[in-house]
Amino acid sequence: MEVVHTIPDLRAAVARARQAGKAIGFVPTMGCLHEGHLSLIRRAKEEAAFVVVSIFVNPTQFGPNEDLSKYPRTFEDDRRGCEAAGASLIFAPAAADFYPPGASTWVDVEGVSAKLCGEFRPGHFRGVATVVAMLFNAAQADLAVFGRKDLQQLAVIRRMVRDLHIPVRIIAHETIREPNGVAMSSRNRYLSAEQMTQATAIPAAMTAAKALAQAGVTDAARLRDAAQAVLAAQPALKPQYCEIVDLETMAPVASTARVRCAIAIACHLGATRLIDNADL
Ligand code: AMP
């Protein structure tokens, strides 16, 4: 497995792989890799013979009061994990090199990025869409694998790829969870053992909504109320949003009867912000 830091080196490696007749898969990450990321890499490897993993903590998707400077960086562990999961190459650019000096071009995916996390993290999805567009241009992969864990991000990327005619196939991979049901996240390492237990109220809230939906309830307010009641029973959790949304547009719905929907939740637990979602 190679590690490269510049776009010319990345493009040269990808061109060699393509010349050898290999399909190119791509998994963008911010590092601090866990089993969720590794399952995306294994999935990419099932779909493509040459798998590029990017490790880049993208400064433009962090707000001024967010955890950019203390975002965990664990490159040596990440390198070993990528190799074991079957990655062919890690692309790890330096922020100062990756964004040209004075870069002033942004990809703004309107609508899909407006609600949910977009409301609480202004500029976040503009940073995500821009860096993913840059990474797609750099890697020129045939396919890219994203986790359903970041449901709105997935919807934003799908819309961007469609609107800008970017020639890459987007594959969504299921959310990988801890044995207690909490979605794996690089930020889980900020949680104490007690908080990790308190966080189980999030998947429990989703399960409550899902159970009602499976029993035939389509009224979004009822589904949301059931989930909110479970969240409220855990006072350590400070919910930011708990919404029933259309999977494609990320807009809150009044009824789940006619569109494919998910429940999406964001909560603070101490200083840590957690998100999760489930299809209904
Ligand atoms: P991040 O490094 O947090 O930006 O995430 C990189 C990719 O890994 C994104 O496509 C995420 O959706 C995905 N991902 C993060 N956590 C999980 C998880 N628990 N299960 C599946 N995919 C995940």
Side-chain angles (χ1 to χ4, degrees):
M1 189 189 66
E2 273 180 86
V3 179
V4 302
H5 302 283
T6 68
I7 293 174
D9 286 350
L10 169 63
R11 288 211 173 124
V14 167
R16 278 195 301 275
R18 221 182 261 297
Q19 252 163 18
K22 294 178 179 173
I24 315 296
F26 182 38
V27 180
T29 81
M30 298 206 299
C32 190
L33 303 184
H34 50 63
E35 194 47 41
H37 299 109
L38 301 183
S39 73
L40 303 190
I41 297 170
R42 288 192 287 266
R43 174 70 180 277
K45 190 70 182 195
E46 283 169 17
E47 308 270 346
F50 191 86
V51 172
V52 175
V53 177
S54 64
I55 296 183
F56 181 59
V57 183
N58 172 37
T60 66
Q61 70 190 68
F62 287 79
N65 300 317
E66 294 183 354
D67 56 349
L68 171 62
S69 62
K70 70 175 181 109
Y71 194 84
R73 288 159 170 89
T74 57
F75 189 78
E76 261 319 297
D77 285 351
D78 293 350
R79 203 184 54 71
R80 278 191 289 273
C82 284
E83 187 145 36
S88 315
L89 178 144
I90 292 177
F91 175 53
D97 294 340
F98 196 51
Y99 283 95
S104 60
T105 303
W106 297 100
V107 179
D108 215 335
V109 183
E110 294 177 353
V112 188
S113 59
K115 301 277 191 205
L116 308 177
C117 291
E119 210 168 315
F120 293 94
R121 303 185 70 188
H124 170 67
F125 287 117
R126 187 174 91 145
V128 168
T130 302
V131 81
V132 172
M134 290 166 73
L135 288 165
F136 282 171
N137 276 334
Q140 306 195 320
D142 300 294
L143 60 97
V145 184
F146 288 82
R148 285 190 198 278
K149 152 82 168 35
D150 298 278
L151 190 71
Q152 192 174 15
Q153 169 171 287
L154 179 63
V156 166
I157 301 298
R158 281 193 193 284
R159 180 65 63 94
M160 173 184 82
V161 163
R162 190 201 73 168
D163 289 356
L164 300 184
H165 305 290
I166 300 177
V168 64
R169 180 160 66 92
I170 302 299
I171 296 176
H173 193 71
E174 67 180 307
T175 300
I176 306 300
R177 298 178 179 280
E178 302 286 354
N180 70 359
V182 174
M184 288 191 180
S185 162
S186 306
R187 291 184 169 101
N188 287 357
R189 64 173 57 204
Y190 300 144
L191 301 177
S192 66
E194 188 189 11
Q195 287 176 319
M196 198 59 192
T197 305
Q198 293 165 338
T200 59
I202 298 173
M206 301 189 318
T207 303
K210 255 180 107 78
L212 271 188
Q214 273 159 7
V217 175
T218 55
D219 177 21
R222 274 187 67 196
L223 299 172
R224 200 182 53 215
D225 287 351
Q228 275 172 338
V230 177
L231 296 176
Q234 177 44 262
L237 283 179
K238 307 293 176 216
Q240 214 169 39
Y241 62 75
C242 172
E243 292 285 358
I244 313 298
V245 295
D246 177 321
L247 265 179
E248 196 185 323
T249 64
M250 291 290 115
V253 296
S255 162
T256 60
R258 263 179 283 282
V259 281
R260 288 174 60 221
C261 292
I263 177 164
I265 293 176
C267 289
H268 275 106
L269 182 50
T272 307
R273 185 173 180 277
L274 302 173
I275 60 170
D276 204 347
N277 67 85
D279 287 3
L280 291 174

